[in-house]
Every structure is written in structure tokens, then in C-alpha cells.
Amino acid sequence: MSSRASSDNLSGLSGAETLMHDAIELARRALPHPNPRVGSLIVSPHGDVIGRGYHHAAGTSHAEILAIADAGAATRGATLIVTLEPCNHQGRTPPCTDAILAAGITQVVVGAIDPDERVGGSGVARLRSAGVIVRTGVEANAVRSADPGYFHHRTTGHPRVIAKMAATLDGQIAALDGTSQWITGAAARDDVHRLRADVDAVLIGAGTLRADDPSLTVRLAGYTGPQPRPVVLGGRVALPKKAAVYDRDPIVFVPSDTAVPDGLTDVVRIADDVVAPDAVVKELMQRGMLHLLVEGGGTVARAFLEAGVLDGAVFYLGGKIAGGQGTGMFTGAFSTLTDAYEVHLESVTALGNDVRIDVAFPTATTEAT
């Protein structure tokens, strides 16, 4: 059933911003890494949305192909709205540009140019050379924000790795007795779930596994999108026999001789006494995971910080003051000011009585090779 898209004159490629945001929401229904999130709409010359599609998984039909199929024979003279530049190369599926031209689509509105070196403007060039009117850069920042892992990987060669920590205003993530629920309020906790919805994997250490037994799922009202894969970093001590994440097929990294419970099927054994963060990131990237959220405690956070693999961090500061020393965000000593890490403060957002602070690290060292 078609729906009225806009009263604007789409034949002149105007008024497409709202449609692009609709396509972005379609794209968010899946996280098909290592392929990008892509959503697409087909709009008739009268401004009706007659076809919709989004990319479900690597190796399956692209969003444009699904939208064209949904529109059927009504694509002649129509406009294609697509969040990412259509591909123009033969991969696991044929070029989308061929299907667009065969469908008789006369106008294409593109959100962001694909940074993949196999595309990088060639899709737009092919369409324009065939006489298709193409408008690019429509809500490009919103498109990139909906899939930061993909854009980061295609421009840097390594996955996007961010840490998340919740603390009191004076930097304590837990009291001496281990209590930490809840430092932040409901608005901040919901925001964490939205953060999880955009990543391939959520990582914790064995200490957090034992202390909190988290499920690491996205739990938002009405949410039906993808769930991140849980990742557990173990040490020399045997992992607990039961944990909530064991029912979710976690990837477990442990030293070669560490005991793990029966039933865990995806165990990566590292031939060192300590599981190195760069080895973890490399393994996850080889599995097609381009966006990793580190939710471990102070020990894991310090390890990833010192390894230089963090691209950013999200700090949730609750409207509370501990007024004493409990458990800090990072383990280890802070001996002198010159040991501090320089970061770029990207944003500060109020969430109820809490604050979210996003920072970026200027130099992350994880390599793709």
C-alpha cells in the first residue's frame, strides 16, 4: 500500500530530507556488517512511496534491489531514495546500478558517498553517465551517524572501538561493597541500550561477569532490531559455571589453559597469560564485526586504553557524589599529569539528572593486518 511521501516536487529533487530519514530508520532494522547499513525507498512521480527495502545481511540482496522489487512495474520514471551510494561492482551480488537503470528509474537521491574503495563515487558516476539525475549529500551526517562502525572501518582500516562507563560525578563506578545499581537514572540507562543497538558486540571482563552477571542485550520498549554479540575476556581463573550471557552464544577469549564451562561453543584460546586487546579487536574484525562497545570494569577499560585501541569513549555521569574512594573508572596508578591521555570532547548531553560525555581519542593504533 502506497503512502503519501511529500507535497514537495520530487521531480525536481527537492524535499527529500524527510524521506531520507525514513530510509535511515529502515536501515536501522539490521546490522549487516561487514556490509553497510542501507535503507531505500522508491517514490512515484506523484510523491507516493511505492517501494521499500533495507539490507538484511552480507551476501543478501541490497536495499535498492529489495525496494525495486517491492515497487514492481511502477518504477519507470520513479525516484530512488537511498542512504548510501549504490554499488557499481560485482561482489557477492550484482551491481545495484544495473538494476536501477533496468528499472527505468530517472532520479536518485543519495545520502552519503560510499567510502569503500570499490565504490567511492563510481556508482554515482555510472548513473549520471546513463542520464539519471543524481543528488548527493542529503542528510549525509545522519547516514554516517547511523552506521559509524562501517564508515570508520572503510576510512581507517580498523573497527571502531568505544568504551562505555557509568560513574558518580566524582568518578566512582561502584562502592567498596561492589554496589553500582543504579548510579544513573532511567534516561541514561535507556541511552545505553540505544548505544548497544548500533554495535556488533559488547565486551566485558570476567570480573564484571562474576559481579553483575549482565545479559548485554538491547532492552527498549518496542525494539525488534539486532542484538549485539556478547564477548567475554577471561583471565587465569576459571570462568563461572553459569551466567546470563552463556545463553546468547558469547565469544569467549581466555588464555590457553583457562578452564571454561561445558556448553560454550565459541572459545578463542590465546597462547599468552593475558588476552591482549589488539588480538581481540583483530579477531572480531576478521569475523566481520566493525563496531565494538567495551563495557568492562576498570581493569578491562585500562587494558584497552593502554593498548591504544580505543577510538572513543562514552561517560555517563550520574547526579550523585560518592564522597569517598570506592572503585574508580580505571585501575592502576595515576602517577603524574603527563601520564594523562589527551582526548577531543565531542559532545555533552543532559539525560534527566545525568550527563553523557562523548570523547574521541586522536590516535588509535589498531591495524587491519
Side-chain angles (χ1 to χ4, degrees):
M1 181 177 178
S2 68
S3 61
R4 193 70 183 173
S6 171
S7 60
D8 293 331
N9 181 15
L10 287 176
S11 64
L13 294 179
S14 62
E17 288 77 10
T18 298
L19 288 164
M20 187 60 69
H21 279 281
D22 291 343
I24 290 171
E25 290 308 307
L26 273 177
R28 285 186 180 276
R29 295 184 182 181
L31 193 59
H33 291 166
N35 283 15
R37 277 179 158 170
V38 184
S40 184
L41 305 174
I42 304 293
V43 182
S44 76
H46 301 293
D48 296 322
V49 176
I50 56 175
R52 297 174 176 84
Y54 65 94
H55 189 38
H56 293 248
T60 65
S61 295
H62 290 187
E64 302 95 314
I65 305 303
L66 295 174
I68 289 170
D70 190 36
T75 57
R76 295 278 165 194
T79 295
L80 170 72
I81 309 290
V82 62
T83 58
L84 192 69
E85 175 187 12
C87 66
N88 188 43
H89 65 281
Q90 176 70 49
R92 295 168 68 178
T93 58
C96 287
T97 50
D98 288 353
I100 293 168
L101 296 175
I105 290 169
T106 56
Q107 300 173 115
V108 175
V109 179
V110 175
I113 297 297
D114 193 340
D116 192 305
E117 61 183 11
R118 296 170 298 176
V119 188
S122 65
V124 169
R126 168 79 191 288
L127 294 173
R128 283 174 172 162
S129 69
V132 177
I133 300 171
V134 182
R135 177 182 173 191
T136 63
V138 176
E139 299 299 306
N141 287 338
V143 171
R144 288 188 283 266
S145 294
D147 196 4
Y150 175 80
F151 283 91
H152 183 85
H153 176 262
R154 291 303 193 273
T155 55
T156 68
H158 65 84
R160 184 172 187 256
V161 184
I162 55 174
K164 165 260 166 183
M165 305 193 83
T168 61
L169 290 174
D170 48 347
Q172 304 304 298
I173 65 173
L176 286 178
D177 65 358
T179 55
S180 61
Q181 296 181 346
W182 296 102
I183 287 176
T184 57
R189 295 198 297 273
D190 282 352
D191 194 69
V192 171
H193 289 284
R194 286 188 287 270
L195 192 64
R196 287 178 180 174
D198 284 337
V199 302
D200 297 301
V202 179
L203 180 149
I204 60 171
T208 299
L209 183 73
R210 295 186 186 94
D212 299 338
D213 191 21
S215 63
L216 305 181
T217 54
V218 179
R219 300 184 299 278
L220 293 169
Y223 180 77
T224 59
Q227 290 287 348
R229 185 90 179 268
V231 179
V232 177
L233 265 59
R236 305 284 296 176
V237 179
L239 292 176
K241 293 183 178 181
K242 294 183 179 180
V245 295
Y246 293 171
D247 294 331
R248 299 189 54 234
D249 189 26
I251 305 171
V252 178
F253 291 84
V254 290
S256 57
D257 57 353
T258 296
V260 299
D262 295 336
L264 293 179
T265 60
D266 198 346
V267 179
V268 181
R269 294 191 176 275
I270 305 296
D272 291 314
D273 290 341
V274 178
V275 178
D278 56 347
V280 173
V281 173
K282 183 180 291 187
E283 171 69 20
L284 295 179
M285 182 181 69
Q286 291 172 349
R287 293 167 178 245
M289 298 182 181
L290 308 183
H291 203 180
L292 173 64
L293 179 63
V294 178
E295 285 199 26
T299 300
V300 169
R302 178 66 176 258
F304 273 75
L305 182 66
E306 289 187 335
V309 298
L310 289 180
D311 298 291
V314 179
F315 298 100
Y316 293 93
L317 300 183
K320 294 180 176 66
I321 295 176
Q325 191 69 36
T327 301
M329 292 187 185
F330 300 92
T331 60
F334 176 38
S335 300
T336 180
L337 186 59
T338 57
D339 290 342
Y341 292 80
E342 293 287 346
V343 298
H344 172 65
L345 188 63
E346 292 191 314
S347 64
V348 179
T349 307
L351 297 168
N353 196 44
D354 307 319
V355 176
R356 169 176 167 163
I357 301 176
D358 289 65
V359 304
F361 290 89
T363 55
T365 60
T366 304
E367 297 295 337
T369 58

